[in-house]
Amino acid sequence: MDTIMTASPSEERQAPVCEVVSRRWSGGHWSQIEGSVPEELPLAIYINSQEWVVIPCSPHNLICLVMGFLRSEGVISRPEEITYLRVCAGEGVAEVKLSTPATLPMRRVLTSGCGQGSIFIDEKEKLPTIGGDLKINPSQVVT
């Protein structure tokens, strides 16, 4: 079968940014500022109909991201091993069909920061809430 690759129009967005209003501590007081920050979305990658990983990423060049990630993780060694690839940034989903079965580890969520941090999720387990009454003034942090 020929390799099929598709992408939704939103997959090809240029310069994905979000406009935000934030507060800045400067000169001993707070001020409100407007600015742009890179947009990020969680992209769930399904391999042979099985959810494998969720990657926080910029919604740009997602087909290249998925193919490169599959190669770097050792899931594929050649692009020809992919028989179908569909990416939809609007849904946050990438569907991949391989020419051979794949043995995948449990579901992982990659954390930001060089793309190599990961969290293994047991969805039955809840993380504890961290409590406390520590309060820090910005002037204690900024010197």
Side-chain angles (χ1 to χ4, degrees):
M1 174 188 277
D2 292 330
T3 300
I4 301 170
M5 294 183 204
T6 64
S8 68
S10 59
E11 193 273 334
E12 295 303 323
R13 290 185 280 186
Q14 297 294 318
V17 296
C18 296
E19 299 302 319
V20 298
V21 176
S22 62
R23 295 180 56 161
R24 174 184 293 168
W25 178 261
S26 179
H29 67 279
W30 289 103
S31 60
Q32 185 169 308
I33 61 168
E34 295 181 17
S36 301
V37 296
E39 184 179 348
E40 187 175 86
L41 70 86
L43 181 68
I45 299 177
Y46 288 80
I47 298 180
N48 295 338
S49 302
Q50 178 183 350
E51 184 178 3
W52 178 45
V53 67
V54 176
I55 303 174
C57 60
S58 168
H60 187 64
N61 294 329
L62 294 175
I63 287 177
C64 294
L65 171 72
V66 171
M67 292 181 70
F69 188 74
L70 295 176
R71 174 66 176 102
S72 70
E73 293 296 308
V75 175
I76 64 170
S77 56
R78 308 180 329 277
E80 295 79 22
E81 295 174 49
I82 299 172
T83 60
Y84 176 83
L85 172 57
R86 181 184 82 89
V87 174
C88 181
E91 296 173 15
V93 171
E95 297 174 334
V96 180
K97 302 286 183 200
L98 301 176
S99 58
T100 59
T103 304
L104 305 174
M106 63 188 285
R107 182 174 185 244
R108 297 184 300 162
V109 175
L110 296 185
T111 59
S112 294
C114 303
Q116 290 301 312
S118 63
I119 303 169
F120 292 90
I121 296 177
D122 180 351
E123 293 173 348
K124 297 177 207 130
E125 242 179 77
K126 299 271 186 209
L127 295 175
T129 302
I130 299 173
D133 58 354
L134 176 66
K135 295 188 191 268
I136 298 174
N137 184 304
S139 63
Q140 292 174 284
V141 178
V142 180
T143 58

